[in-house]
Every structure is written in C-alpha cells, then in structure tokens.
Amino acid sequence: MLFRSSIWPRPWQKPSPQLLMSAATPESAAFAARHKAIMGMTLIADLDVARQNIELYKKECRANGWEADSRHVLTGHQTVIAETDAEAIAIMRKGLDYFHRVLMRPQREAQTQVLQKTDYYGQKDSKDYFDKRLATLRERTLEEQIEAGTVFCG
C-alpha cells in the first residue's frame, strides 16, 4: 500500500514566497525564469557573461508571461571595506585564499565527480562553460578581479 507524503511542509505564506534559484549559466537562468523564481549569481568571473544571463532571464520571463524587475535579480560579490585600499586588499587576499583553499574544496571535489561520472550537464557546451568559469576564478589574481569588477575592495 502506497501513501503520499512530503517531508516538506507547505509555506504558510499566501501566496507562497518566490524561490531563489542559481542562474549562473544560460540554462539555469532560463530555468529560473520559467519557474518564476528569483535569479541568483555568485562567484561571478565575467560581468559581461553575468549581464548576458540577466538579459536572457528577463527575456525568458517575458516569454513566460511575466516581467522581472530589480527585485528578481540577486548578485553576490566578495567585498571588503577597510580604512585604506591597501588594508582592504590585504584582508581580501587572505579571505580569498581561505575561501578557495578551504571552503570551496568540498564543492570542487563534488563538482568534479559530477562532471566526470555523470551526464548531469547533458551537453558538452554546458560542461565546458562550467569548467571555464571555475578555471577563470582560480587563475585570476586579486588585482585582475578588482579590475574586472568582480571583487570589491576599498
């Protein structure tokens, strides 16, 4: 005998709150738009690519009968504000080192397994896009990230 059950309670809010979905790739931006979710991007390696994903998201929203505004686009950037630029850069340098060396290690290992052992991305272009994004984040110096506008120090 089968029973229908859910471990997740329904939201109490009516209407239900919007979901926040990752939209760091063109596919995920379109998916978020189709599901009327707020799009979120962090670890932005290239502002032009982020802009393209936002434009694609908004276009997909319109195609699905709704209009996204600034409340529907969330970006996250590593930011340090200190007494001097030099102090902010020194703090950021230590923070980014810890972030990439320690905090991102489990995620990188899991993503590597997903990329190598599954067909999660389905298309080679999607896998290449993801690989390039991670490589760019690892290879750029802090000064290059500041110049690119993907990290803020001041």
Side-chain angles (χ1 to χ4, degrees):
M1 179 176 212
L2 292 174
F3 294 96
R4 279 185 73 184
S5 65
S6 174
I7 62 169
W8 304 109
R10 291 183 173 271
W12 288 32
Q13 297 96 333
K14 299 285 182 191
S16 298
Q18 272 189 303
L19 294 176
L20 170 64
M21 293 181 154
S22 173
T25 66
E27 294 83 7
S28 61
F31 185 84
R34 284 192 303 273
H35 289 85
K36 296 185 177 177
I38 297 166
M39 74 172 293
M41 292 185 291
T42 61
L43 300 176
I44 297 169
D46 185 321
L47 290 179
D48 288 333
V49 171
R51 283 185 194 100
Q52 290 169 10
N53 286 347
I54 292 169
E55 290 307 314
L56 174 66
Y57 170 77
K58 289 180 175 182
K59 180 181 172 185
E60 284 289 320
C61 290
R62 286 188 292 278
N64 284 278
W66 70 287
E67 198 68 36
D69 60 32
S70 61
R71 295 171 297 164
H72 298 99
V73 178
L74 176 68
T75 62
H77 302 268
Q78 287 107 343
T79 304
V80 173
I81 299 170
E83 292 295 323
T84 66
D85 289 353
E87 184 182 356
I89 289 169
I91 293 167
M92 179 63 81
R93 194 174 310 284
K94 288 179 188 175
L96 286 177
D97 175 62
Y98 181 78
F99 179 78
H100 288 291
R101 190 175 38 82
V102 178
L103 298 178
M104 284 296 291
R105 187 174 55 223
Q107 184 173 347
R108 269 195 310 276
E109 290 170 1
Q111 289 167 336
T112 299
Q113 288 180 9
V114 166
L115 291 171
Q116 290 174 349
K117 299 179 181 181
T118 71
D119 193 27
Y120 177 76
Y121 284 98
Q123 301 173 13
K124 186 177 182 328
D125 290 349
S126 297
K127 179 187 180 304
D128 291 345
Y129 179 94
F130 186 77
D131 286 342
K132 181 182 174 196
R133 182 172 165 241
L134 288 181
T136 300
L137 287 170
R138 281 193 303 268
E139 294 167 5
R140 272 194 184 155
T141 66
L142 175 55
E143 290 73 19
E144 290 170 332
Q145 292 177 63
I146 293 169
E147 181 67 27
T150 58
V151 168
F152 304 120
C153 288

